[in-house]
Amino acid sequence: QVQLVESGGGLVQPGGSLRLSCAASESIASITAMSWYRQAPGEQRELVATITSSGTTSYADSMKGRFTISRDNAKNTVYLQMNSLKPEDTAVYYCNARALRIPSLRIQDYWGQGTQVTVSS
């Protein structure tokens, strides 16, 4: 079982910045992909950003240019740097780990419990 712990959420003013952290219990170099999702009240959970074990990143269109996903393998941590925050970014942000296990070839998903981000003046 991969344990994921998110931190860094809180209250920030529109236009401000925030950095979320996700600490994993095992080396993230062995995890196929790490992602950030978010879910606003009454809405479906949506993918925000993904980074693969090889370092390839991808973003949802609404976040492209404002958000940056990165990782620090030495610290077993993935980050989400959020700039130019808008009120519509308000949501619970979740860390996700997807692992392809060798040699069984089973794909396993793990989730953190989420961290609240509120953008308001």
Side-chain angles (χ1 to χ4, degrees):
Q1 291 287 320
V2 178
Q3 306 295 320
L4 303 173
V5 180
E6 301 102 330
S7 63
L11 176 64
V12 64
Q13 295 184 353
S17 297
L18 207 60
R19 189 180 73 164
L20 306 183
S21 298
C22 174
S25 61
E26 69 177 58
S27 174
I28 60 174
S30 67
I31 298 174
T32 304
M34 300 288 295
S35 298
W36 286 97
Y37 288 75
R38 71 183 186 185
Q39 186 170 22
E43 299 184 9
Q44 295 182 327
R45 187 172 298 184
E46 65 175 340
L47 177 65
V48 174
T50 297
I51 185 167
T52 70
S53 59
S54 64
T56 301
T57 60
S58 60
Y59 302 89
D61 287 341
S62 62
M63 271 67 78
K64 195 173 301 181
R66 297 191 299 123
F67 291 6
T68 302
I69 188 170
S70 62
R71 69 186 186 194
D72 187 334
N73 289 348
K75 297 181 179 179
N76 289 339
T77 301
V78 63
Y79 304 96
L80 183 68
Q81 178 67 47
M82 303 184 293
N83 299 324
S84 301
L85 284 164
K86 306 173 182 178
E88 52 263 42
D89 294 320
T90 296
V92 177
Y93 285 71
Y94 297 91
C95 183
N96 166 267
R98 172 162 286 187
L100 174 63
R101 301 303 188 186
I102 305 298
S104 68
L105 299 183
R106 289 183 176 183
I107 296 176
Q108 295 177 308
D109 278 311
Y110 305 91
W111 293 90
Q113 65 179 10
T115 184
Q116 176 71 48
V117 172
T118 302
V119 185
S120 176
S121 60

